[in-house]
Amino acid sequence: DTGVSQNPRHKITKRGQNVTFRCDPISEHNRLYWYRQTLGQGPEFLTYFQNEAQLEKSRLLSDRFSAERPKGSFSTLEIQRTEQGDSAMYLCASSLVVGAGANVLTFGAGSRLTVL
Amino acid sequence: AQSVSQHNHHVILSEAASLELGCNYSYGGTVNLFWYVQYPGQHLQLLLKYFSGDPLVKGIKGFEAEFIKSKFSFNLRKPSVQWSDTAEYFCAVNFNYGGSQGNLIFGKGTKLSVKP
């Protein structure tokens, strides 16, 4: 399966701890997105990369959140000093965009974070 | 700010009933429109998309959607639902600025329950 892969699938942590999620996009895709989804809500945009450049960040992405895509391939999302309000499903998606062409996101299964 | 509205939070239908899920967006410029589906325990999957051309688009599993620009709407329809259509449905919009496509904004989703 050459879809979008996310690890770990589920992380349980205590408040105040740091957590890191990893996303491996579809190999030929140049864009990589992070979203957060809580119960009863649609996915909320956090940030996206085109190759290794982080092009946009949401106001939802507080100083405790940092995302990287150092070589333009996989990406990591780190949350420092976790809070109970960070409990959510963190979704990664990737797409291939050429010029002004179509941008169709393919999503991974997500990483569920539970902060105790 | 751009937004996407889905009018129904939970829809309950019997098998063979017709389905229409509403979706409206706030931006008056060029948009790309999507419906994603999330079956229980599975990740988000693309159901159908509209970029240009015929405003009536057909997707997988007998779903279709109609883009009505004057109403800023992209409603999802299916003439006869099946129990296997039980899922959560998300409308999403990519707002284009001068040919640049940024992030995808999602509605809050509509949960569809189909009774056998």
Side-chain angles (χ1 to χ4, degrees):
Chain A
D1 188 330
T2 57
V4 178
S5 176
Q6 293 189 244
N7 287 288
R9 292 293 306 277
H10 195 180
K11 178 73 175 178
I12 301 173
T13 190
K14 293 182 179 179
R15 189 180 52 174
Q17 298 294 305
N18 299 342
V19 297
T20 299
F21 300 114
R22 175 179 170 128
C23 173
D24 288 90
I26 293 172
S27 58
E28 61 266 29
H29 284 183
N30 54 1
R31 283 203 182 174
L32 188 149
Y33 294 76
W34 285 100
Y35 284 79
R36 181 175 71 185
Q37 186 176 19
T38 53
L39 201 61
Q41 301 293 321
E44 297 172 294
F45 169 74
L46 293 178
T47 187
Y48 86 91
F49 295 83
Q50 178 142 327
N51 300 314
E52 65 275 7
Q54 190 171 18
L55 295 189
E56 189 174 346
K57 292 197 294 186
S58 162
R59 288 173 295 174
L60 292 175
L61 212 67
S62 75
D63 291 345
R64 297 184 297 106
F65 288 69
S66 62
E68 295 183 342
R69 194 183 184 197
K71 297 181 180 178
S73 56
F74 74 91
S75 175
T76 57
L77 177 68
E78 181 183 17
I79 308 174
Q80 296 181 326
R81 306 181 303 282
T82 53
E83 301 172 356
Q84 288 184 323
D86 297 331
S87 295
M89 179 74 86
Y90 289 86
L91 301 172
C92 178
S94 68
S95 67
L96 176 64
V97 177
V98 180
N103 185 18
V104 181
L105 275 63
T106 300
F107 282 84
S111 293
R112 182 172 295 284
L113 174 64
T114 302
V115 181
L116 302 176
Chain B
Q2 294 80 21
S3 63
V4 180
S5 300
Q6 292 185 242
H7 315 298
N8 310 100
H9 180 62
H10 191 183
V11 173
I12 302 172
L13 296 172
S14 297
E15 275 194 316
S18 64
L19 170 72
E20 181 161 2
L21 301 182
C23 173
N24 287 88
Y25 62 93
S26 61
Y27 179 64
T30 303
V31 293
N32 296 329
L33 302 158
F34 305 81
W35 277 95
Y36 280 82
V37 60
Q38 189 166 29
Y39 297 103
Q42 296 188 27
H43 61 280
L44 281 164
Q45 302 172 41
L46 182 68
L47 199 54
L48 49 78
K49 61 185 184 293
Y50 171 81
F51 291 130
S52 62
D54 188 344
L56 184 62
V57 293
K58 296 190 183 299
I60 60 173
K61 304 186 179 184
F63 285 91
E64 64 178 32
E66 185 175 13
F67 171 47
I68 303 179
K69 189 174 182 179
S70 61
K71 294 185 177 180
F72 305 106
S73 71
F74 190 55
N75 292 354
L76 181 71
R77 300 194 292 249
K78 186 171 183 177
S80 176
V81 295
Q82 301 173 321
W83 178 78
S84 58
D85 293 325
T86 295
E88 193 154 16
Y89 293 81
F90 294 94
C91 180
V93 181
N94 192 196
F95 298 95
N96 295 343
Y97 307 103
S100 171
Q101 301 172 65
N103 71 77
L104 200 58
I105 297 177
F106 284 81
K108 292 189 175 182
T110 297
K111 184 177 179 181
L112 172 65
S113 299
V114 180
K115 298 183 293 184

